[in-house]
Amino acid sequence: MQADIERALTNQEFELYLQFYVDCGSHRIVGAEALSRWQHPEKGLLTPGRFIPMMEREGKISKLDYYSLEKVCSFLEELVGLGIDTFFISCNFSRDTFAAAAFVDNCKRIIGQYQFPRELLVFEITESVSSKNISQLQQNTVALKEYGVKLALDDFGEGFTSFYDLQQYPIDIIKLDKSLIDNMGTERGDAILKAMIRVGHELGVTILAEGVETDDQVETITRLQCDLLQGFRFCYPLPRWEAQKKISQLFLTARTDDKSFSPSAP
């Protein structure tokens, strides 16, 4: 599989999938997270757990990061061409990619090839790799904010991400880690989650809960005044073509119908 990576990038075997974000109050679809799937010619469809750790070890994760960014920009341009100009997409980057000296220039070069409002693109800083170049990472986040894109802190409350990151980077969105959602329903778990949401709101940050799978979780998170939800309760990751079809149906319907719409549970 290591030998297959370069071929896969050249032949565009990595496919764009999207998992929707919904508004906590209305359950309207408002955006999505971009995910990668590898359509391997011999092994079939591979999920990230099969290839992301390997690509990080082999030092090839940046190639996939930039490849995925281009796919996302192309998708956003297509949506805007259909008249859908409020749907946003978050794109994952490892911290080492994010902290590279050429990161901002590389991103501007890719983004500049496509036409869409820059605020519809959200860059996620993941916790999977602990970068040593904190100074460059900080410079890059500031430069990207000035360019117009938004920033999200992924897996908040797990691994390397912490309140320290909120002090260092101009974050727009906090994505609460699934472990926090799984621990809801206990006095301590609810207190921790409530405190995180309150701090985020006081800082003017949007709070997004990952891994929402049950109606009870939806009810609790809504009561705690979270902003956005993501999880199997609302939608599984969809391939690009299927996601575009659903987005088009929902947004075009909303223009002719003032009633709220929501995605069907899987």
Side-chain angles (χ1 to χ4, degrees):
M1 288 180 65
Q2 294 174 8
D4 290 344
I5 291 175
E6 292 295 338
R7 184 212 67 233
L9 290 167
T10 300
N11 295 343
Q12 300 193 41
E13 294 173 11
F14 292 102
E15 298 183 356
L16 174 64
Y17 273 60
L18 295 116
Q19 186 173 20
F20 293 134
Y21 299 134
V22 302
D23 178 80
C24 193
S26 66
H27 294 179
R28 287 175 176 260
I29 290 175
V30 295
E33 177 182 9
L35 304 169
S36 293
R37 299 290 187 268
W38 185 354
Q39 188 61 60
H40 196 285
E42 298 173 359
K43 301 180 183 297
L45 190 67
L46 304 180
T47 55
R50 295 285 304 278
F51 56 87
I52 293 294
M54 177 186 66
M55 295 184 79
E56 289 180 339
R57 291 194 304 269
E58 297 298 313
K60 296 183 181 295
I61 192 63
S62 291
K63 291 188 176 182
L64 180 61
D65 286 342
Y66 291 129
Y67 173 98
S68 299
L69 174 61
E70 186 154 9
K71 294 291 185 183
V72 169
C73 291
S74 174
F75 188 81
L76 284 171
E77 184 178 68
E78 290 180 12
L79 291 183
V80 171
L82 295 172
I84 302 170
D85 57 3
T86 59
F87 186 90
F88 69 91
I89 300 179
S90 64
C91 196
N92 290 288
F93 296 92
S94 73
R95 288 199 177 206
D96 281 357
T97 299
F98 218 121
F103 179 66
V104 174
D105 287 339
N106 289 338
C107 290
K108 287 182 177 180
R109 175 181 52 80
I110 294 171
I111 297 170
Q113 300 175 52
Y114 300 91
Q115 300 298 317
F116 60 87
R118 298 294 178 253
E119 65 269 18
L120 299 183
L121 183 61
V122 180
F123 280 21
E124 293 190 32
I125 308 174
T126 66
E127 63 83 28
S128 59
V129 179
S130 181
S131 173
K132 297 179 181 180
N133 196 348
I134 300 299
S135 176
Q136 185 66 59
L137 182 61
Q138 292 172 336
Q139 291 178 37
N140 289 348
T141 58
V142 172
L144 287 167
K145 284 280 289 185
E146 292 176 349
Y147 186 60
V149 304
K150 293 186 177 181
L151 301 175
L153 192 60
D154 195 17
D155 300 324
F156 189 80
E158 173 69 17
F160 297 110
T161 54
S162 66
F163 285 102
Y164 171 82
D165 292 308
L166 292 180
Q167 298 176 357
Q168 299 301 313
Y169 311 122
I171 298 299
D172 299 289
I173 300 172
I174 291 175
K175 298 185 70 177
L176 300 176
D177 187 73
K178 186 179 183 301
S179 63
L180 297 173
I181 309 305
D182 290 340
N183 287 326
M184 287 191 315
T186 65
E187 183 177 352
R188 178 166 298 188
D190 287 355
I192 292 174
L193 196 59
K194 182 178 181 179
M196 287 185 168
I197 293 173
R198 184 180 69 250
V199 169
H201 284 165
E202 289 177 355
L203 294 174
V205 176
T206 297
I207 308 298
L208 190 156
E210 298 181 290
V212 179
E213 299 179 351
T214 68
D215 288 339
D216 288 342
Q217 290 176 334
V218 172
E219 182 180 352
T220 300
I221 295 171
T222 301
R223 175 170 49 80
L224 296 177
Q225 298 184 332
C226 190
D227 301 305
L228 301 174
L229 306 175
Q230 179 190 34
F232 294 161
R233 165 59 183 82
F234 298 99
C235 188
Y236 291 100
L238 301 175
R240 173 178 179 153
W241 66 269
E242 189 173 348
Q244 184 185 55
K245 180 179 179 181
K246 191 173 186 67
I247 294 166
S248 298
Q249 291 174 340
L250 292 175
F251 276 74
L252 294 177
T253 299
R255 289 178 181 172
T256 58
D257 186 355
D258 291 335
K259 296 179 180 180
S260 297
F261 60 88
S262 62
S264 301

